[in-house]
Amino acid sequence: MPPSAITVGVLALQGGVVEHIALLNRASTSYPSTTFHFLEVRTPEQLSLCDALIIPGGESTTMAIVARRLGLLEPLREFVKINNRPVWGTCAGLVMLAEQASATKQGGQELIGGLDVRVLRNKFGTQVQSFVADLKLDFLGEGEGPFRGVFIRAPVVEEVINGNGSGNVKVLGTVKKPGEEADIVAVRQGNVFGTSFHPELTGDVRVHVWWLGNVVEALSQRRKERGLVVGSGKNDAVEAA
Ligand SMILES: NC(=O)CC[C@H](N)C(=O)O
């Protein structure tokens, strides 16, 4: 039985927040027995209300600086890596969720981590070199047509880092530009999902539907393991405590 109420946050420090919320609203109609709350997250208190989180595209360096200032970096790390909540990062969000990033500003930049990968920022160049490409995303299900990937100053996964748990990094999507090697543009490791591209800018709701399905699944599993009566507001409060 699916959990009856789920709060999904969108980190709202900067970047494509409203676009994600619009698509989440549309995607949620695929799960009629679950009530979703979509919450813009700017404080640790708001984060603590969330069962799952999207980190949008934008500028990862700025996002990290603002998150540090608002006291959100450590709570975000805890949310992703200790509480293992479902998290999805798009573009700059993927950078934030990587354990390592190259082509960072001098002196490096702070990351949340969670994915045992090193990303290469701005792989395809500057804003004017943005492009769209049809992607074959098998995880969307058999017989699904290509997904239009929007790439804007996008990072790619340049390496899966050999270390603890890295064997669990699954490559879920690649893009190949003419004359170049294929690049990894979608990965998942347990509760953490990352895409280089921006499904929230396409109007195509399929990745949001898929991800919300995973969130529903993970939450019902978690609540079952804790022996909670599904959907009781009282028990939800106990779980959050
Ligand atoms: N569209 C985007 O999110 C761009 C990401 C940006 N280049 C970064 O490294 O953070």
Side-chain angles (χ1 to χ4, degrees), residues 22-35:
L23 274 210
L24 282 170
N25 272 310
R26 280 180 52 207
S28 65
T29 61
S30 297
Y31 304 97
S33 50
T34 302
T35 305

Side-chain angles (χ1 to χ4, degrees), residues 14-16 56-63 90-96 102-103 109 119-123 125 127 130 150-155 195-198 200-201:
Q14 192 257 342
E59 187 53 53
S60 57
T61 48
T62 311
M63 239 182 252
T90 54
C91 204
L94 165 62
V95 175
M96 294 293 288
S102 52
Q109 68 186 69
V119 293
L120 169 60
R121 295 180 64 221
N122 305 317
K123 161 73 205 291
Q127 190 88 6
S130 301
V150 177
F151 293 86
I152 305 168
R153 291 181 293 112
T195 54
S196 302
F197 50 98
H198 291 269
E200 76 285 6
L201 297 181

